[in-house]
Amino acid sequence: LTERDIGSDAGSMHTRCKRQPDGSWLINGNKRWIGNANRDVMVVFAKDEDSKKVLGFIVHLTNNPNVKRHKIEHKMALRSVHNMQLEFTELRVEEKWRLPKVKDFSSVTNMLAHSRLYVSWVACAIGVGVYDNVVRYLDARTQFNKKLTSYQLIQEKLVRIMGNVQAALHLAAKLTELREKGEATMGKLALGKAWITLRVREAAALGREMLGGNGIILDNYAMKAFCDIEAIYTYEGTYDINSLVAGRELTGVAAFK
């Protein structure tokens, strides 16, 4: 979905598709930050030049001369994911590979609703990992002849981490329950993604802080979590965009188009 020049305003994508006389489609454009696009198959969204509606296609990438792939290098976060930039030039896709239920941008918003909930759970897992790793590190380390876990300031920060993580877990669980019942609106899911990542971001910062100098070493989980939550705080809708989606539902007034 995401493009080189189009992030939050996904509906304004530049990638175009056009129906050909033989029924196939030609796709031209680019995509960026596509996770694991080094694989064989990818779902690509493009705007129909004639109807101006967003359509979806299953695209076969391997050994396709009309597709160029470039791995995004030098990432500090989510290093396990190979994010790619894709470029499509006169890419021909047969009609049978068009997703028939994707008829406009509303189909994309349904995908975003699911992904925002999924990302909320990823953030929760990072938060749990922060607490688990940090408390074990602190309990094993002695400073001034006392365990670090015995200090008041340390305990206060651990309580803040645990409070954030528990609140995030409960909110994610409630949103999942609503999703299964068909009652999770986009505003609720956007609020959850924004709030959960914000709170886990604070938890990761506290965890990294309590490890002192060792907290900046990637061998320690706290620093990995600190970097990864920065990415999760931003993708599948930035904190600001998700807040505005939730705010639109709360107030009935859209602060963006």
Side-chain angles (χ1 to χ4, degrees):
L1 180 64
T2 305
E3 298 187 357
R4 182 175 58 227
D5 301 314
I6 301 293
S8 298
D9 187 13
S12 297
M13 67 178 65
H14 295 158
T15 300
R16 295 291 187 263
C17 60
K18 186 173 180 59
R19 191 76 177 265
Q20 303 302 297
D22 63 359
S24 65
W25 296 81
L26 282 183
I27 299 177
N28 286 280
N30 73 83
K31 301 292 176 180
R32 184 171 172 82
W33 292 112
I34 310 305
N36 292 326
N38 56 329
R39 304 299 175 85
D40 298 331
V41 177
M42 190 63 51
V43 173
V44 174
F45 295 99
K47 186 170 288 187
D48 186 352
E49 288 189 11
D50 296 320
S51 69
K52 308 305 179 185
K53 293 183 177 181
V54 174
L55 305 179
F57 300 88
I58 296 175
V59 174
H60 295 77
L61 303 175
T62 304
N63 298 323
N64 194 326
N66 300 95
V67 179
K68 291 184 179 179
R69 293 188 278 188
H70 309 280
K71 182 181 176 182
I72 298 175
E73 302 285 358
H74 311 302
K75 289 197 310 171
M76 290 297 293
L78 297 181
R79 292 163 62 88
S80 64
V81 179
H82 295 282
N83 290 97
M84 313 284 286
Q85 179 166 312
L86 307 175
E87 295 179 11
F88 310 114
T89 305
E90 297 295 293
L91 172 65
R92 187 175 296 274
V93 180
E94 299 299 324
E95 167 65 14
K96 66 180 179 179
W97 298 116
R98 182 176 65 84
L99 300 176
K101 293 185 179 181
V102 178
K103 299 179 179 179
D104 52 37
F105 196 74
S106 63
S107 301
V108 177
T109 59
N110 184 55
M111 177 196 70
L112 291 173
H114 175 80
S115 62
R116 282 167 177 164
L117 180 57
Y118 155 72
V119 170
S120 296
W121 277 110
V122 173
C124 288
I126 289 176
V128 171
V130 167
Y131 180 83
D132 182 58
N133 281 269
V134 168
V135 76
R136 282 191 284 114
Y137 174 92
L138 296 174
D139 195 51
R141 190 170 175 86
T142 299
Q143 295 288 290
F144 304 107
N145 299 317
K146 293 173 63 177
K147 282 189 174 183
L148 282 176
T149 48
S150 69
Y151 288 98
Q152 293 178 348
L153 289 175
I154 292 293
Q155 291 186 6
E156 187 274 337
K157 291 173 183 176
L158 285 175
V159 167
R160 264 198 283 166
I161 292 176
M162 178 56 75
N164 284 352
V165 171
Q166 287 296 321
L169 285 167
H170 280 77
L171 180 53
K174 182 61 178 179
L175 289 171
T176 301
E177 179 184 330
L178 292 174
R179 177 76 170 164
E180 290 173 345
K181 293 179 179 178
E183 299 173 2
T185 64
M186 179 61 84
K188 292 176 181 177
L189 294 168
L191 183 150
K193 194 273 177 179
W195 190 89
I196 288 171
T197 56
L198 178 68
R199 295 276 71 88
V200 174
R201 193 185 191 208
E202 180 187 40
L206 288 168
R208 194 229 56 80
E209 175 185 323
M210 284 190 287
L211 266 63
N214 288 331
I216 67 170
I217 300 173
L218 283 176
D219 292 345
N220 290 320
Y221 179 82
M223 191 61 193
K224 294 178 183 177
F226 186 78
C227 292
D228 286 348
I229 195 61
E230 284 298 302
I232 292 170
Y233 180 73
T234 300
Y235 78 60
E236 297 301 341
T238 64
Y239 173 83
D240 292 344
I241 287 295
N242 277 301
S243 295
L244 293 178
V245 171
R248 178 179 60 190
E249 187 169 302
L250 289 172
T251 64
V253 179
F256 64 104
K257 71 174 184 176

